Amino acid sequence: GRGAAADRAEETAGATRDRLQEALQNRDLMKNIGEYEEYLPLSTRVVRELRAIFECLAGMPTDGKGLVLSSDGGRGVGDFAVVPSVPPGGKVLRTERVGSGHYTNVTTASLRTGHPHLDAYGEARRAVAYASVDGYCRQLRNARRKRAGAGGGSASDRARDVDSAARDAVRIIEHTMVVVSGEKAVYRCVAAPSMKVDHGDGGRGSGGAAETYERALGAAYSYVVSASVDRLLDLVEYTFLREAGCAPTSQDGGTAPELDIRAAASAAAAGLRIVDGVRMLGPSLTKLCELDSSKGKGGPSPSDGGGPAAPALCISLHRSTVKNCAKTLENLARSIQLDRGAETADGRVAAVSSDVVHAVRVVSPFHSAYKSVSKRRALPWDSGIGDDAGEMDVFVRFLVKQLLISLQGKAQNYRAEGDGPGGQDALAKSHLFLMNNTYYLLDLLAADSFVGSTGGVEGADFRITGSWFRDKMTKTFDSEKARYLKYWDRLNSHLTDVDDGQLSYQNNKDVLSLESGRLLKSRFSGFIEDFERVYTVHRNFTVIDPRLRVMLQDDIRGVFLTRYAGFFQKYSRINFSKKNMESYLKYPPQKIDSLLGQLFLMQ
């Protein structure tokens, strides 16, 4: 009813998957899709009347073009070639413009079975079936436009729009099943009983003529339902090309603009959502498009030429969906490869890391849909097909690999600054940048790490359970941290002890001699100069995560502060300068500790 339709207008991909999975397990799929009872085209009185008419028409002779009214003109049409049928090779290809409402001209050709009443039945019911699916497409599209009109043009709005388009595509698959199911019921109640008519004159009730008439009945039914599947197929391809960025070229003939990572992720998730619908509903739709009576009759199969169009269109629907979904996955991987986002000025987490985390999370719920694609198409990151095809983890691993390549490239841009005035400080920033990003990825994607909340995105709690991820991120983080701490380790070069034998005092024994005093002055002044230089630069770096910030502050303290505290305590008691002792002792350990506590604060 209307309530169920309203609920499904906002249904998440996970809820749709669970509903259909439960229906398949309980063998009551038709009662759980679309608005089944509302759109089922059956009325008892009409069915009885139409059946009586068909039985009368079926008993009349025909010459293949029209009914023969004279009693002596009756004779069967023989093995009449049914038109339209599947082209040679059994593969239905697109002949119509995407978005035109039709996929192939096979379904728009006039029906010619050799039995005029079946032709009339097929043409009439085809128009009804097509109009039902087409009208539903327009209804959902208009509702989606109204919802989109209330929003803006932000990334979240665009993601919501493409997800809505994918959800509507699955709803239209469900509705097409309702329409086809209804047409099958009409066929069984109205057209099929005419097969039993037998005038005893070698007509349709016996022998080869009966088989010919049965094939004509099947062709008429296929003609009716193929119009619905044809409309569905055009809609699904249009959704991929228009909403999911699969169009090869733009309207002016140039190359289509590349999607940013978040847009590509939304498109990939939408594509996987449609694959989910097709893989779960497609077999049932194909079965509805076939007639049990046609099995084992020696007629052509969908994979051969000359067979009925509807089953072949169902195969094309699956092939097209898998092909286009693979394109959205490739687009997502390429968007990370081609990321042009600049490195951050203060070494904080790059936008590309956040974007890839979002991408991994939105595609992660679709394990079965991804497998359905990878089994049938070789992908750049997974050349195996069939049983050799990889799982979702293979795709996620490839995305992470592309992200690390992107981050290394941005870190290299920092290092390029090392040839300029920034020198070694720019190199230090590159190490902190990689630390920030790898820690962020570990935090949000590694298993058994802190679980944060990112709102209502499906898969927000997704974690990469494979040890490869934690191992790689941890290794990179530890390596970059060790390199970064070396910049603070240089301070230890000034904290060497002075041999007691080198210390000599002036006559009053309160002040070191000039030469001995220089030994301590050079150590304190060298430490102060290097500390101020390093601190002045590094205090402009940013670590947004408070846990990482505290960790790094403690690690820096561990590099030199304990040693400095001992050095300061030992030599600050000695009067090694007559006039400038305060300037040499301007940084007691407590002050150094306080200053380190102010590092990496967000600017």
Side-chain angles (χ1 to χ4, degrees):
R2 298 296 180 188
D7 292 340
R8 287 168 189 170
E10 300 297 332
E11 193 172 47
T12 65
T16 301
R17 191 183 313 111
D18 293 342
R19 172 170 60 83
L20 297 179
Q21 188 64 47
E22 182 180 1
L24 287 169
Q25 291 174 350
N26 296 335
R27 297 180 180 273
D28 60 353
L29 181 62
M30 292 308 301
K31 294 181 180 179
N32 287 274
I33 65 172
E35 291 86 62
Y36 179 65
E37 295 183 357
E38 179 179 349
Y39 284 93
L40 194 63
L42 284 179
S43 171
T44 305
R45 180 177 178 181
V46 173
V47 167
R48 285 201 305 265
E49 294 173 351
L50 287 175
R51 177 185 291 186
I53 294 172
F54 255 75
E55 288 175 347
C56 292
L57 295 175
M60 297 181 67
T62 176
D63 61 2
K65 298 180 180 179
L67 296 174
V68 179
L69 301 181
S70 61
S71 60
D72 60 349
R75 108 184 135 76
V77 298
D79 195 8
F80 189 83
V82 175
V83 178
S85 59
V86 177
K91 185 177 286 189
V92 180
L93 302 177
R94 175 177 281 281
T95 60
E96 308 303 297
R97 180 176 56 85
V98 175
S100 65
H102 295 282
Y103 180 82
T104 174
N105 57 15
V106 170
T107 63
T108 58
S110 298
L111 178 63
R112 294 291 181 268
T113 63
H115 301 275
H117 66 292
L118 292 184
D119 295 344
Y121 159 80
E123 295 283 358
R125 294 309 306 177
R126 174 195 173 280
V128 172
Y130 178 86
S132 180
V133 176
D134 184 60
Y136 195 70
C137 291
R138 295 174 186 274
Q139 174 188 331
L140 295 185
R141 182 183 62 194
N142 292 335
R144 193 165 67 248
R145 285 177 175 174
K146 289 181 180 179
R147 291 195 300 269
S154 65
S156 60
D157 289 331
R158 293 193 297 272
R160 185 173 59 250
D161 291 344
V162 71
D163 184 63
S164 295
R167 176 173 55 239
D168 287 350
V170 176
R171 293 179 69 191
I172 293 168
I173 298 174
E174 296 184 46
H175 183 77
T176 302
M177 290 184 66
V178 172
V179 173
V180 173
S181 176
E183 291 302 328
K184 195 166 194 176
V186 170
Y187 168 82
R188 285 173 172 169
C189 293
V190 175
S194 64
M195 182 64 202
K196 301 176 182 178
V197 175
D198 185 2
H199 293 279
D201 58 357
R204 286 179 283 273
S206 61
E211 291 186 7
T212 299
Y213 185 69
E214 187 171 2
R215 285 201 297 273
L217 277 171
Y221 172 72
S222 178
Y223 182 73
V224 172
V225 298
S226 64
S228 299
V229 182
D230 180 72
R231 181 66 182 94
L232 168 65
L233 187 48
D234 179 66
L235 179 281
V236 170
E237 280 213 346
Y238 180 79
T239 301
F240 274 108
L241 299 180
R242 170 78 165 73
E243 305 289 348
C246 291
T249 57
S250 57
Q251 293 182 350
D252 60 0
T255 303
E258 295 290 344
L259 298 174
D260 61 50
I261 296 174
R262 287 188 176 254
S266 297
L272 289 167
R273 181 169 188 168
I274 297 174
V275 170
D276 242 354
V278 170
R279 74 176 182 84
M280 299 179 79
L281 299 175
S284 298
L285 177 60
T286 303
K287 189 174 182 180
L288 286 171
C289 288
E290 295 173 339
L291 292 174
D292 295 336
S293 60
S294 65
K295 296 179 180 178
K297 296 293 184 180
S301 68
S303 60
D304 301 322
L313 283 169
C314 291
I315 295 174
S316 294
L317 173 64
H318 193 274
R319 287 173 175 167
S320 172
T321 304
V322 167
K323 179 189 72 173
N324 284 310
C325 183
K327 179 68 173 177
T328 66
L329 298 175
E330 292 171 13
N331 286 346
L332 174 55
R334 186 167 59 252
S335 69
I336 300 173
Q337 293 172 332
L338 300 179
D339 173 63
R340 296 292 182 266
E343 64 277 9
T344 55
D346 54 5
R348 70 178 68 188
V349 175
V352 64
S353 293
S354 173
D355 292 342
V356 172
V357 168
H358 170 79
V360 169
R361 284 175 167 174
V362 297
V363 302
S364 64
F366 299 98
H367 291 276
S368 298
Y370 175 82
K371 186 69 174 181
S372 185
V373 174
S374 64
K375 284 174 64 176
R376 292 164 177 82
R377 290 190 70 87
L379 300 166
W381 54 88
D382 182 11
S383 59
I385 57 175
D387 294 337
D388 296 328
E391 304 287 345
M392 174 68 78
D393 184 67
V394 175
F395 181 50
V396 171
R397 191 166 187 163
F398 184 75
L399 297 184
V400 171
K401 178 182 177 181
Q402 299 309 309
L403 170 60
L404 289 177
I405 293 174
S406 176
L407 293 175
Q408 290 288 355
K410 290 174 171 52
Q412 189 63 39
N413 292 338
Y414 287 122
R415 297 182 185 118
E417 299 174 11
D419 298 330
Q424 296 299 311
D425 298 321
L427 295 178
K429 191 191 299 184
S430 73
H431 301 314
L432 184 71
F433 171 76
L434 289 174
M435 273 193 290
N436 263 324
N437 283 274
T438 51
Y439 186 89
Y440 173 81
L441 295 171
L442 278 167
D443 179 35
L444 293 184
L445 290 180
D448 300 324
S449 63
F450 172 79
V451 179
S453 174
T454 59
V457 180
E458 284 199 19
D461 293 333
F462 173 77
R463 293 290 180 272
I464 299 175
T465 56
S467 60
W468 64 268
F469 180 75
R470 179 172 286 279
D471 292 345
K472 178 63 176 178
M473 293 298 122
T474 301
K475 181 179 179 181
T476 302
F477 177 83
D478 290 343
S479 174
E480 296 302 325
K481 185 173 76 169
R483 293 172 181 171
Y484 174 77
L485 292 177
K486 286 181 179 179
Y487 291 91
W488 296 95
D489 185 59
R490 295 170 185 171
L491 299 177
N492 287 317
S493 64
H494 304 290
L495 304 179
T496 57
D497 287 335
V498 178
D499 188 86
D500 292 341
Q502 294 180 287
L503 299 178
S504 60
Y505 294 85
Q506 297 181 8
N507 294 333
N508 57 17
K509 297 185 179 181
D510 290 332
V511 181
L512 286 178
S513 65
L514 184 61
E515 291 299 323
S516 296
R518 285 175 178 170
L519 294 176
L520 292 181
K521 289 177 183 178
S522 64
R523 283 166 168 75
F524 275 99
S525 62
F527 175 86
I528 291 170
E529 181 180 349
D530 280 354
F531 175 78
E532 288 182 342
R533 184 186 62 79
V534 173
Y535 184 82
T536 299
V537 173
H538 289 223
R539 71 180 179 183
N540 293 321
F541 299 166
T542 298
V543 176
I544 294 179
D545 191 294
R547 293 160 299 161
L548 177 58
R549 188 188 311 136
V550 171
M551 178 198 300
L552 288 178
Q553 291 170 352
D554 289 341
D555 287 339
I556 292 171
R557 291 184 179 100
V559 169
F560 75 93
L561 186 56
T562 301
R563 186 171 180 177
Y564 177 71
F567 181 88
F568 188 90
Q569 183 180 14
K570 180 178 181 178
Y571 293 111
S572 63
R573 301 173 181 177
I574 300 174
N575 190 358
F576 55 84
S577 175
K578 291 182 179 179
K579 300 179 180 179
N580 299 309
M581 279 295 292
E582 290 185 359
S583 63
Y584 289 113
L585 304 179
K586 62 190 291 187
Y587 289 117
Q590 296 83 357
K591 186 173 183 179
I592 294 287
D593 183 73
S594 177
L595 290 172
L596 294 179
Q598 299 173 35
L599 281 173
F600 313 128
L601 295 177
M602 188 163 56
Q603 304 300 313

